Amino acid sequence: MRKLFALMPLVYLVVSGCQTSRPNTAVPPNKALTTIAFGSCSDQKRPQPLWDDIVAQKPDLWIWLGDNIYGDSENMDTLRAKYARQKSNPVYQQLRHSTPVIGVWDDHDYGVNDGGKEYPMRVASQQVMLDFLDVPAESPLRTRQGGYSAHSYGPKGQRVKVILLDGRYFRDPLKKDGKANVPDPTGDVLGEAQWQWLEKELTNSDADLHVIGSGIQVLPEEHIYEKWANFPTARQRLLDLLGKTKPKGAFLLSGDRHMAEVSKVAVPGLGYPLFDITSSGLTHVSPPHEEPNRHRVGNIVSKLNYGLITIDWAAKPLTATVRINGDDKATYLTQAITF
């Protein structure tokens, strides 16, 4: 969807926040995650009032879900400068020095609004994103085409796998009717290499909880903005893959929309309802409004927000409680997901 942005002075390229080395905050191999925070849509030039609330939750992991900056440029120096401004925020610095940070991009940090594989600077932009995420120079993610990744945490019996999908690098261009996006049954989102990788990550996975992140919403079908439903064949392929591989405890996270909501569908073969938890944005949201979503559970949240997942490993069945939280310890939505 269209979001406004302003160009950033290149002076931010030299801000120390992007130059500082990061302490080792990797999750210990045998530590079970109990708290995961996530969010999207952080405009580096706007006030960022939620980081102190997020730090106060002492999450075991922070997940960026896209629009981590508003870059919107084919100039990599411009993207680096904007990432540097975001990274130099002093309270975000507290988070990244105490909590492992992973993430994936959406469109504005990728480099172009609503962009896909037609963006000419995607190879260079991927390296700039990985720099922002403190991905080591020797990481295999540096040589992979596309920003997707998988991360496993915790001991056997309490293992979480976070799968972050790249819906930009390989995605076909959107089809338009005026300003509205219209379905393209022949278009793809992930590209064949990423599809094959995803199937391998899900097949016979030993994780007990699978958190699958996508920059754009997976389940909603009716609004006119970006969503997996713009590519209905790809969306169905993703749902069919989940039904086929039957991962334990899977649910979706998404961003992009400048609002928060919870969606739910039944997936044949999966054995439990599939939720899509949308949290957006960290610095700005759309005015309160109504829009159709037959899969929605609860209400739309039109206040600054982030997501918080709390895992109760002792619960039977296993329960992950997801909250949409805001400033000053506010909670706007609560959804318990049981498996």
Side-chain angles (χ1 to χ4, degrees):
M1 63 188 295
R2 177 66 59 180
K3 299 118 182 171
L4 299 177
F5 62 92
L7 292 178
M8 195 65 55
L10 290 183
V11 65
Y12 285 103
L13 180 61
V14 298
V15 171
S16 61
C18 253
Q19 308 303 320
T20 56
S21 61
R22 181 176 168 196
N24 181 9
T25 53
V27 178
N30 291 320
K31 176 181 170 57
L33 300 188
T34 58
T35 307
I36 303 171
F38 62 96
S40 68
C41 300
S42 182
D43 188 334
Q44 69 283 348
K45 68 184 180 298
R46 294 177 186 252
Q48 301 189 15
L50 297 186
W51 291 122
D52 60 338
D53 292 85
I54 296 166
V55 169
Q57 298 287 354
K58 298 181 179 179
D60 300 314
L61 183 69
W62 167 259
I63 305 174
W64 283 108
L65 284 171
D67 293 339
N68 309 325
I69 59 163
Y70 282 70
D72 300 278
S73 177
E74 294 181 10
N75 185 314
M76 295 302 103
D77 286 343
T78 299
L79 290 187
R80 289 188 190 96
K82 293 180 177 183
Y83 274 122
R85 183 168 183 173
Q86 173 61 69
K87 202 169 188 178
S88 67
N89 179 285
V91 196
Y92 175 64
Q93 285 276 10
Q94 292 179 35
L95 179 71
R96 64 182 283 269
H97 280 262
S98 62
T99 302
V101 173
I102 60 174
V104 71
W105 54 23
D106 194 35
D107 54 343
H108 292 287
D109 41 354
Y110 180 59
V112 60
N113 183 58
D114 289 359
K117 66 182 182 183
E118 70 277 10
Y119 176 59
M121 299 303 295
R122 59 183 183 164
V123 173
S125 179
Q126 179 180 330
Q127 298 303 314
V128 179
M129 174 186 70
L130 295 175
D131 290 344
F132 172 70
L133 295 171
D134 298 299
V135 173
E138 66 276 11
S139 169
L141 299 183
R142 293 285 185 173
T143 55
R144 169 183 288 167
Q145 288 187 323
Y148 56 95
S149 60
H151 313 260
S152 291
Y153 306 96
K156 185 176 180 180
Q158 296 181 320
R159 188 159 294 154
V160 176
K161 178 179 283 191
V162 180
I163 297 173
L164 300 179
L165 302 177
D166 182 346
R168 296 293 164 187
Y169 197 96
F170 302 100
R171 200 210 67 193
D172 288 317
L174 294 166
K175 282 194 172 181
K176 297 277 189 177
D177 180 5
K179 293 184 178 180
N181 298 310
V182 295
D184 177 7
T186 66
D188 192 19
V189 176
L190 299 185
E192 201 56 37
Q194 188 175 182
W195 280 115
Q196 296 303 319
W197 166 86
L198 177 59
E199 183 164 359
K200 289 179 181 178
E201 290 294 338
L202 293 173
T203 300
N204 298 321
S205 171
D206 65 355
D208 303 278
L209 204 65
H210 294 79
V211 181
I212 304 173
S214 165
I216 58 173
Q217 292 180 307
V218 178
L219 298 187
E221 298 182 73
E222 292 140 288
H223 64 72
I224 64 171
Y225 307 106
E226 282 196 290
K227 56 191 179 298
W228 272 73
N230 298 143
F231 303 92
T233 303
R235 178 182 180 274
Q236 190 60 49
R237 181 176 180 178
L238 178 60
L239 299 181
D240 289 346
L241 182 60
L242 291 170
K244 172 187 173 183
T245 57
K246 297 176 173 52
K248 294 180 182 178
F251 59 96
L252 306 165
L253 305 180
S254 57
D256 177 62
R257 291 299 322 287
H258 298 178
M259 48 87 106
E261 65 177 345
V262 176
S263 305
K264 181 179 74 168
V265 300
V267 176
L270 193 56
Y272 52 83
L274 180 66
F275 285 85
D276 184 349
I277 313 294
T278 302
S279 175
S280 170
L282 290 163
T283 62
H284 54 297
V285 291
S286 298
H289 65 285
E290 295 296 328
E291 66 181 40
N293 177 6
R294 62 183 178 272
H295 306 306
R296 184 183 301 123
V297 179
N299 299 316
I300 293 174
V301 174
S302 298
K303 297 181 180 180
L304 298 185
N305 65 86
Y306 68 95
L308 191 73
I309 304 164
T310 305
I311 305 166
D312 185 349
W313 291 109
K316 297 192 183 304
L318 175 63
T319 301
T321 301
V322 187
R323 295 178 174 85
I324 299 298
N325 286 349
D327 202 10
D328 295 326
K329 301 180 181 180
T331 295
Y332 303 126
L333 281 177
T334 302
Q335 179 64 56
I337 306 176
T338 58
F339 305 101

